[in-house]
Amino acid sequence: MILERAPERGGRMQPSGGRIPIPEQYGGPAAVPETGGASAPQARQRRPPFRHIPSMIGGPVASMTPEHRYVTPEGQTYGSVTTVLGGTKPEEDAMHLEEWRRSVGYAVADYITREAATVGTQAHLLNEYYLRGMTPDESDEPFRLMARAHHENFLPHLDRIDNIRGTELVLHSDRLRLAGTSDCIGEYDGVPSIIDYKTKRAPQEPERMHDYYLQAAAYAMMYEGLSGIAVEQAVIMVSSEKDTMQVFTARTRDFMDEFLERLDMWYGRIGTGGFARPFLDDVQLAAAWDFRP
């Protein structure tokens, strides 16, 4: 397990009014040195286009419903990795989450959670646009300032990705009766990796990454089942509202057995009626756990 901390860069997370200009990496204007004094910092150099290679997944993949369920090409409906992990968390974790929701009020908790989910979703989308060399489309909804700030945090580490086999790649397994969407599968510093982006309120301790390693292990199993290609490394990139950036890595195979145990637990709970549908969809459910004490 490796923890890397990016150099501190002050000021990115400070709120400001108005719209943020289109960044240079998306075709916006380059920074112009100020006159009559010290020059402004040099603009961040745009990296060459990322290499995208075939995913090696043969045949059609599952599609996602608005409820974040997945339907396979054969018509089977599977739950997601996020649902499985969220539904099998230790009871103590679930109690802490419920205590937080009760302490701030359920309406406020739902609002905070949905806002966090929106920012996280937009930051993911900006990362995807960047890796695919596309210009973001804000015609329907402008990107939040916080989403852009998180994306700026991710950029130096996105530049370490290459030979991309898929972004927002939908995966499923008939053997596991499971599905999910991987943020990115590609090489990170030359090592084939399952890469996941997380947006948080504050820097994270390594032990908080455990379920994310399980998530990456599940994606690795599904991807290998579809493509025949083993992906040995999990890379979890974490940007926080405190303007910190962390990268955690682990071996996917070290977490596969434990994920299968959680999957068995999940099957047992839904088989006995012990599971109640989460109060939020998968994206919002994932965000909600970040607010537990």
Side-chain angles (χ1 to χ4, degrees), residues 79-91 93-94 97 178-179 196 198 208-219 221-222 255-267 269 275 278 282 285-286 289:
S80 72
V81 176
T82 305
T83 298
V84 170
L85 292 174
T88 56
K89 280 185 177 290
E91 184 176 349
D93 282 2
L97 177 60
L178 184 72
D196 213 29
K198 305 297 180 186
R208 285 291 183 96
M209 297 299 107
H210 187 81
D211 271 15
Y212 299 143
Y213 293 144
L214 296 178
Q215 182 182 25
Y219 292 154
M221 285 188 284
M222 290 190 290
F255 293 86
M256 289 180 180
D257 286 345
E258 185 177 349
F259 176 79
L260 293 175
E261 291 175 2
R262 294 277 288 269
L263 189 61
D264 284 340
M265 186 187 304
W266 164 254
Y267 288 147
R269 290 188 179 184
F275 173 75
D282 279 354
L285 179 64
W289 290 104

Side-chain angles (χ1 to χ4, degrees), residues 32-245:
V32 178
E34 296 175 355
T35 58
S39 297
Q42 291 296 313
R44 182 179 177 279
Q45 185 172 358
R46 182 178 182 179
R47 65 152 283 166
F50 296 89
R51 287 186 291 271
H52 290 257
I53 60 179
S55 69
M56 303 307 291
I57 295 176
V61 297
S63 58
M64 189 168 61
T65 71
E67 298 76 29
H68 289 267
R69 304 285 288 178
Y70 290 84
V71 180
T72 71
E74 292 76 26
Q76 297 294 322
T77 301
Y78 296 145
S80 72
V81 176
T82 305
T83 298
V84 170
L85 292 174
T88 56
K89 280 185 177 290
E91 184 176 349
E92 181 180 356
D93 282 2
M95 289 176 60
H96 286 167
L97 177 60
E98 178 61 21
E99 288 171 2
W100 170 75
R101 286 172 51 76
R102 189 185 305 116
S103 68
V104 301
Y106 291 103
V108 172
D110 288 351
Y111 173 79
I112 292 173
T113 298
R114 288 186 169 88
E115 283 295 298
T118 296
V119 168
T121 298
Q122 290 188 350
H124 278 65
L125 188 58
L126 285 167
N127 289 351
E128 181 186 11
Y129 274 123
Y130 181 71
L131 291 177
R132 296 178 68 179
M134 299 169 62
T135 302
D137 180 3
E138 297 188 77
S139 57
D140 292 333
E141 180 182 3
F143 286 100
R144 306 286 179 87
L145 297 177
M146 189 61 73
R148 287 189 178 278
H150 280 304
H151 173 62
E152 287 288 320
N153 271 348
F154 283 116
L155 283 175
H157 298 279
L158 297 179
D159 284 350
R160 295 163 68 174
I161 299 172
D162 215 349
N163 292 324
I164 299 167
R165 292 193 178 273
T167 60
E168 296 299 316
L169 190 62
V170 177
L171 306 167
H172 74 277
S173 170
D174 292 321
R175 181 173 65 86
L176 300 177
R177 292 180 289 150
L178 184 72
T181 302
S182 174
D183 292 344
C184 179
I185 299 179
E187 293 182 1
Y188 183 79
D189 287 344
V191 180
S193 303
I194 303 290
I195 303 164
D196 213 29
Y197 320 127
K198 305 297 180 186
T199 53
K200 301 290 185 180
R201 294 183 301 162
Q204 301 292 291
E205 297 300 324
E207 56 268 22
R208 285 291 183 96
M209 297 299 107
H210 187 81
D211 271 15
Y212 299 143
Y213 293 144
L214 296 178
Q215 182 182 25
Y219 292 154
M221 285 188 284
M222 290 190 290
Y223 180 70
E224 185 172 358
L226 291 169
S227 69
I229 298 171
V231 182
E232 296 287 343
Q233 180 172 251
V235 176
I236 314 298
M237 299 183 179
V238 184
S239 169
S240 86
E241 294 177 13
K242 304 296 184 183
D243 195 23
T244 63
M245 184 71 202

